[in-house]
Amino acid sequence: MDMEKIERAVRDILEAVGEDPDREGLQETPARVARMYGEIFSGLGADPKQHLKIFTEGGKHDELVLVKDIPLYSVCEHHLLPFIGRAHIAYIPKNGRIIGLSKFARIVDCFARRPQVQERLTGQIADFLYENMEPLGVAVFIEAEHLCMTMRGARAAGAKTQTSALRGCMRSDAKTRAEVMALLGGR
């Protein structure tokens, strides 16, 4: 990431909105914003596979696994404002192939730390898990508040956007899908 270029751009924005980037209080802002972008867009250079360690247990694990309320912070690529919410991931292992539960949070974070739209983020997580874990099915649900809707435009504070991506038996089997929805409390 080109931190100096980000700093110059932030100075230009401050000047463009009528501020003095050299006044006390703003002098360090370009550097702070550059560091912030380095952190919140760190997923651009990250490979989510680094978090994927498949365990094949001796037992037959073929029952539904659901991890709820994974915190999610991302930045909408349309306005470069945050959207904040929760991801819920369900999967049914095949051939005992499971991963550590904390890995789901790391995978979500890896994809979220990129300029995003929620719809694509939901599908990216589902596709990644379905292709790499090879489960019978996977479902990803995300609900988030978009600050681009809260702070500007419609100013609809508290409005939440819900998206889902279903793969394998989660998509093709209505009974399995209904079980996941019931566990999520009808979200």
Side-chain angles (χ1 to χ4, degrees):
M1 207 166 289
D2 189 338
M3 302 305 257
E4 289 180 14
K5 192 170 187 177
I6 295 170
E7 287 185 42
R8 286 192 305 273
V10 171
R11 282 185 63 82
D12 288 347
I13 290 170
L14 288 170
E15 288 174 353
V17 299
E19 266 292 357
D20 175 8
D22 293 317
R23 78 164 169 82
E24 189 176 346
L26 287 179
Q27 291 172 350
E28 298 300 317
T29 297
R32 281 193 295 269
V33 171
R35 287 191 303 273
M36 176 197 66
Y37 279 154
E39 183 178 339
I40 65 175
F41 293 138
S42 63
L44 287 168
D47 182 358
K49 286 185 180 180
Q50 70 181 329
H51 304 298
L52 193 68
K53 181 180 179 189
I54 303 285
F55 300 104
T56 304
E57 299 293 328
K60 184 179 179 189
H61 299 288
D62 63 355
E63 299 294 330
L64 180 70
V65 177
L66 173 63
V67 181
K68 291 174 35 173
D69 296 321
I70 300 167
L72 177 136
Y73 310 93
S74 193
V75 175
C76 171
E77 66 185 33
H78 296 148
H79 297 97
L80 293 182
L81 286 171
F83 60 95
I84 301 162
R86 304 237 173 243
H88 317 286
I89 299 172
Y91 78 105
I92 299 177
K94 182 169 82 176
N95 300 324
R97 292 171 55 88
I98 62 174
I99 66 172
L101 298 176
S102 68
K103 302 306 182 195
F104 289 108
R106 294 181 191 281
I107 290 165
V108 166
D109 192 56
C110 190
F111 283 108
R113 288 185 178 272
R114 303 170 181 183
Q116 279 287 11
V117 293
Q118 183 175 329
E119 298 87 341
R120 184 174 62 237
L121 174 61
T122 309
Q124 285 176 334
I125 295 166
D127 289 340
F128 175 80
L129 294 171
Y130 192 65
E131 292 165 10
N132 290 282
M133 288 182 65
E134 300 175 3
L136 295 173
V138 67
V140 176
F141 301 92
I142 294 177
E143 53 187 1
E145 181 174 355
H146 292 249
L147 292 188
C148 55
M149 273 186 58
T150 299
M151 298 174 63
R152 53 158 305 282
R155 294 194 179 132
K160 294 230 178 3
T161 301
Q162 296 180 331
T163 51
S164 68
L166 308 169
R167 306 293 182 263
C169 69
M170 298 289 187
R171 182 183 203 109
S172 63
D173 183 1
K175 186 176 175 183
T176 303
R177 191 169 50 251
E179 179 183 0
V180 172
M181 294 306 289
L183 289 171
L184 284 172
R187 284 186 165 112

